[in-house]
Amino acid sequence: MCNENEKIVGLRAEVERLRKELAEVREQLAAERQRRTELEQAKGSAPAPTEIAETPVVITEYEATLRRVVQRTAMIVQAEKCVIMVRDEETGDLVACKPAWGMTDEEVRRFRVPPDVGYSGEIYKTGKPAFLEDASASPRARLEQLHTYGVRNALSVPLILEKRDENNQIVDRVTVGVLHCFNKRFEDRFNEEDLRLLERLARNTAAVIANIQIYMQVVEEKQKLAHTIESLSAGILLISPDGRIAQMNAQARAIFQIPSHLDPIGKPYQEVIRNEQAIAILQRKMQELMNPSLAESHSTPVEERAQQNEITITDEDEDQYIYQVHAALVRESADKLIGTVFIFNDITDIRNIERMKTEFVSIVSHELRTPLTPMKGFIQMLIDGLEEGWLTKEEQREYYQIIQENVDRLSRMINDLLNVSRIERMGAAGIEMNWEITDLRKAAEVVVNTQKGRTDKHTLVIDFEPEHIEVETDPDKIQNILQNFVSNAIKYSEGGEVRIIARQEPPSEEFPQGSVRIGVKDQGIGLSEKEIKRIGEKFFRSDNKKVRAVGGTGIGLFLVKHLIARHGGYMWVESELGKGSTFWFRIPLRQPKQDEVAKAS
């Protein structure tokens, strides 16, 4: 009996303590409400006296704000648990928000339901509050398994955001979530007074949630924009009106070789950007934008204007890159300037192609004129000799052979140009092939016999294992590949051995029917690593003076690369400056059947 009396006394003391806390909280809320009312009245737009004024949310501390909301709500209505649910924009589900009162993070994580299911869904859908007397007996509560969270009873209200006009009239109501209070303390049940308190608190909570959602959307959009700017292939630089860097993406930092440990934001751009040409363009662009009368005259040729807005930057590897600079003013409003944004577009490849095309036209003109000159000369000699009768049959045959060789040279050059055009339109598939089983050694012997007559300083060697390798190929095309490699080996070496190597290889995952590895090795001038990377590019020719001294159009290896690809193979180069090069390629022994190609595609 004594123990029960002691328990009763203890419970009464606990109830009294909680009542005092509740009274204090209510006084705080009343004081806060009065203060907000006075502030709003001072601004000339006081809220309705029955409404709890919206408490401004410190967005950067939204978790702490939510924690205070659920904690105070639980204390006011004497609930053991309190949690807020909001709608997930991606899935549409109602999901619990952290932090919650009286629930673990794991419970909050798995507390989610569709918006039209169960007890929570009903409140969200109807926009009306509800009491839950017995969670274990309610079909709606069982649908979302509230009993697994230790819920016995509940009082829940929808979180409705009210939008008002200038006259403080409600013009729109949007349900943003649900506020749950679970398990009334002391085995009691929630009552109408709790409901009225919770509805008032819900108005403030809805505003808090709405502010947080707006903030999160802004943060998300800002992050997306920041990631987009950071990942752009063009360099982006924003300079504030006081000449300091306000934004600089990864590409811009790479262009101006800014170390990763250096943060350029807030620093004067002259201290960060060390390229004098770039600084001059930035200064000129800013002056022109602020004073349009200083802008370039439209009478200036387009090419000259374009060059005036280009900068050339040399990186650590001594590679040069050309960037075109565009600029624009960025304003927050008509009278507020944020700064000047600069965009740096890499046009190195465009300028290189323009240069190579110009060189190509010049080289092709020269290459076409080269065979035409002797052809014209020998034709004139044939005409004069036949008319005057001094030309012998042997001399005629020799002149005709020279003319025929130059015609063949012209024909090969024209065919190369036509093939380049086909490849540009259709890729390697644009090259027509006449497939047949070909003895590679015989093809190599034809090449050697042709090239022997063009040099007396080189030794041409055929090195095959096995001696005869049969490959399904186009005989003319495989000879073209070898002719190009051997011709280059002779042109770009002053003498020594030129070796044609072939090795038959067993079946592999890459080439199930086996393959052959073919290479042409010379003892010539060799290639740098930078040049090796560009082998096979259209119109590319090395800047080496010895290479430039030798004629060529820069399309030979481009065609060879695509001929090898047409065989289903690939090429690569091994080289060392001053010690020679080996041009390798690998092709399958047999081409896949058409039905196999169709299945693979």
Side-chain angles (χ1 to χ4, degrees):
M1 190 69 178
C2 289
N3 289 336
E4 289 185 4
N5 289 335
E6 289 176 359
K7 288 181 180 180
I8 292 171
V9 172
L11 286 172
R12 286 176 177 172
E14 180 67 16
V15 170
E16 186 62 29
R17 184 182 66 79
L18 290 172
R19 283 178 178 171
K20 288 181 179 180
E21 289 183 359
L22 177 60
E24 291 175 359
V25 170
R26 285 176 174 170
E27 288 177 3
Q28 291 175 2
L29 286 173
E32 180 68 14
R33 182 166 58 248
Q34 181 63 29
R35 188 175 70 84
R36 296 295 172 192
T37 301
E38 292 173 355
L39 286 173
E40 294 294 337
Q41 287 174 343
K43 293 178 182 178
S45 57
T50 59
E51 185 180 321
I52 298 177
E54 178 181 332
T55 304
V57 180
V58 181
I59 297 299
T60 55
E61 300 177 353
Y62 72 91
E63 285 194 3
T65 302
L66 281 183
R67 183 177 290 107
R68 288 194 298 271
V69 168
V70 294
Q71 182 181 4
R72 289 181 179 180
T73 301
M75 290 176 62
I76 289 171
V77 299
Q78 300 181 46
E80 293 178 0
K81 304 175 186 289
C82 183
V83 64
I84 295 170
M85 299 187 80
V86 297
R87 186 174 180 273
D88 187 327
E89 293 297 331
E90 293 185 3
T91 65
D93 291 347
L94 289 174
V95 297
C97 296
K98 291 195 305 182
W101 182 258
M103 297 179 69
T104 65
D105 288 348
E106 174 59 25
E107 288 176 330
V108 173
R109 186 192 64 77
R110 62 185 178 88
F111 189 16
R112 73 163 50 222
V113 294
D116 55 354
V117 171
Y119 173 69
S120 302
E122 184 70 19
I123 296 166
Y124 181 82
K125 185 171 64 174
T126 62
K128 296 180 180 180
F131 290 96
L132 183 62
E133 300 294 339
D134 186 354
S136 61
S138 170
R140 291 182 301 164
R142 285 200 300 271
L143 278 175
E144 53 187 294
Q145 299 182 328
L146 288 181
H147 63 281
T148 62
Y149 302 99
V151 176
R152 300 187 303 275
N153 52 52
L155 170 60
S156 305
V157 295
L159 295 174
I160 299 175
L161 183 65
E162 297 178 345
K163 296 181 180 179
R164 296 176 178 271
D165 60 14
E166 297 176 350
N167 299 320
N168 204 31
Q169 298 297 315
I170 297 174
V171 294
D172 193 15
R173 294 164 61 91
V174 179
T175 304
V176 297
V178 177
L179 175 60
H180 287 302
C181 288
F182 296 140
N183 300 346
K184 182 75 169 181
R185 287 180 180 274
F186 312 116
E187 300 297 329
D188 201 352
R189 295 183 181 280
F190 294 101
N191 53 43
E192 291 296 330
E193 183 182 356
D194 295 327
L195 174 59
R196 287 193 296 272
L197 285 170
L198 199 58
E199 284 182 323
R200 290 191 176 187
L201 290 170
R203 296 192 191 108
N204 188 50
T205 304
V208 171
I209 295 297
N211 284 344
I212 290 172
Q213 288 178 335
I214 292 171
Y215 168 71
M216 295 305 294
Q217 289 173 0
V218 171
V219 169
E220 185 178 352
E221 291 300 321
K222 184 177 179 181
Q223 288 176 342
K224 286 181 181 178
L225 180 61
H227 290 317
T228 301
I229 293 174
E230 194 68 10
S231 60
L232 286 174
S233 59
I236 304 292
L237 174 65
L238 177 63
I239 298 177
S240 62
D242 62 355
R244 296 182 181 273
I245 294 177
Q247 182 65 267
M248 193 175 199
N249 72 346
Q251 183 60 24
R253 295 193 296 273
I255 289 172
F256 295 108
Q257 303 165 39
I258 297 172
S260 57
H261 65 272
L262 178 62
D263 183 9
I265 306 302
K267 294 182 173 61
Y269 72 90
Q270 297 95 333
E271 294 181 6
V272 176
I273 298 172
R274 300 296 185 179
N275 185 289
E276 293 182 2
Q277 185 187 13
I279 291 175
I281 288 181
L282 296 180
Q283 291 174 339
R284 176 170 57 80
K285 283 286 188 182
M286 285 188 284
Q287 290 173 357
E288 290 174 354
L289 289 170
M290 297 302 295
N291 188 356
S293 62
L294 298 176
E296 299 159 359
S297 171
H298 289 287
S299 62
T300 306
V302 175
E303 295 81 1
E304 186 177 337
R305 291 205 304 268
Q307 291 176 357
Q308 289 175 354
N309 295 320
E310 293 175 8
I311 59 173
T312 302
I313 294 180
T314 304
D315 66 9
E316 296 175 351
D317 298 326
E318 299 301 319
D319 292 328
Q320 286 192 337
Y321 294 89
I322 303 170
Y323 297 94
Q324 191 174 57
V325 185
H326 300 274
L329 294 178
V330 181
R331 296 183 182 275
E332 184 176 330
S333 60
D335 57 349
K336 186 173 181 181
L337 179 65
I338 294 176
T340 308
V341 64
F342 295 90
I343 302 175
F344 300 86
N345 289 312
D346 187 348
I347 59 169
T348 307
D349 291 340
I350 295 174
R351 290 291 178 261
N352 284 339
I353 289 172
E354 290 174 353
R355 177 179 56 81
M356 287 188 291
K357 282 185 175 180
T358 302
E359 291 180 359
F360 174 74
V361 171
S362 175
I363 291 169
V364 167
S365 300
H366 173 74
E367 291 291 319
L368 290 173
R369 195 163 45 244
T370 299
L372 285 174
T373 301
M375 286 169 62
K376 183 177 180 180
F378 283 109
I379 289 172
Q380 188 63 49
M381 290 176 66
L382 284 168
I383 293 172
D384 294 342
L386 290 172
E387 287 179 352
E388 298 174 9
W390 55 265
L391 198 63
T392 66
K393 289 185 177 180
E394 289 76 12
E395 290 174 326
Q396 291 180 41
R397 186 179 296 107
E398 180 184 355
Y399 294 166
Y400 282 132
Q401 285 178 343
I402 293 172
I403 292 170
Q404 183 179 23
E405 287 178 1
N406 282 281
V407 169
D408 290 341
R409 181 177 177 182
L410 275 174
S411 178
R412 284 195 302 272
M413 191 177 303
I414 291 169
N415 286 333
D416 285 349
L417 294 173
L418 291 173
N419 280 328
V420 168
S421 177
R422 292 191 191 100
I423 290 168
E424 285 183 332
R425 294 196 318 270
M426 305 171 60
I431 304 173
E432 296 181 1
M433 303 291 284
N434 298 310
W435 300 106
E436 63 179 74
I437 303 301
T438 304
D439 186 337
L440 276 183
R441 187 173 188 89
K442 290 182 179 179
E445 288 172 350
V446 171
V447 171
V448 168
N449 290 333
T450 303
Q451 295 295 332
K452 273 183 178 177
R454 299 177 180 175
T455 179
D456 56 2
K457 299 179 180 179
H458 298 81
T459 303
L460 276 63
V461 177
I462 298 177
D463 176 8
F464 277 35
E465 289 183 13
E467 187 172 346
H468 294 279
I469 304 173
E470 292 188 339
V471 181
E472 187 175 3
T473 181
D474 182 322
D476 291 336
K477 302 297 190 298
I478 200 70
Q479 283 186 28
N480 287 346
I481 295 170
L482 293 174
Q483 290 279 17
N484 189 284
F485 284 159
V486 174
S487 174
N488 284 345
I490 291 171
K491 285 193 296 185
Y492 300 123
S493 59
E494 296 177 355
E497 181 183 89
V498 175
R499 181 176 292 264
I500 304 176
I501 306 165
R503 299 289 184 265
Q504 186 169 330
E505 298 174 325
S508 63
E509 185 176 350
E510 187 177 20
F511 298 104
Q513 295 183 325
S515 61
V516 58
R517 174 167 52 90
I518 307 169
V520 175
K521 184 177 182 180
D522 63 50
Q523 297 173 333
I525 59 179
L527 297 163
S528 66
E529 290 185 10
K530 185 165 62 174
E531 290 170 330
I532 290 174
K533 292 177 182 178
R534 300 193 62 188
I535 289 296
E537 287 185 14
K538 184 171 56 178
F539 307 136
F540 171 71
R541 301 192 73 223
S542 171
D543 290 328
N544 190 308
K545 292 181 179 179
K546 293 181 179 179
V547 173
R548 290 285 174 178
V550 180
T553 60
I555 61 173
L557 289 176
F558 171 78
L559 290 171
V560 163
K561 181 180 178 180
H562 285 83
L563 284 173
I564 294 169
R566 187 69 177 85
H567 282 79
Y570 54 88
M571 64 174 280
W572 71 99
V573 183
E574 296 174 358
S575 185
E576 188 176 349
L577 283 173
K579 295 185 178 181
S581 307
T582 305
F583 282 75
W584 292 101
F585 67 99
R586 181 178 281 117
I587 57 175
L589 290 174
R590 298 291 182 271
Q591 293 297 311
K593 296 179 181 179
Q594 292 303 313
D595 56 346
E596 294 177 357
V597 173
K599 288 179 182 178
S601 60

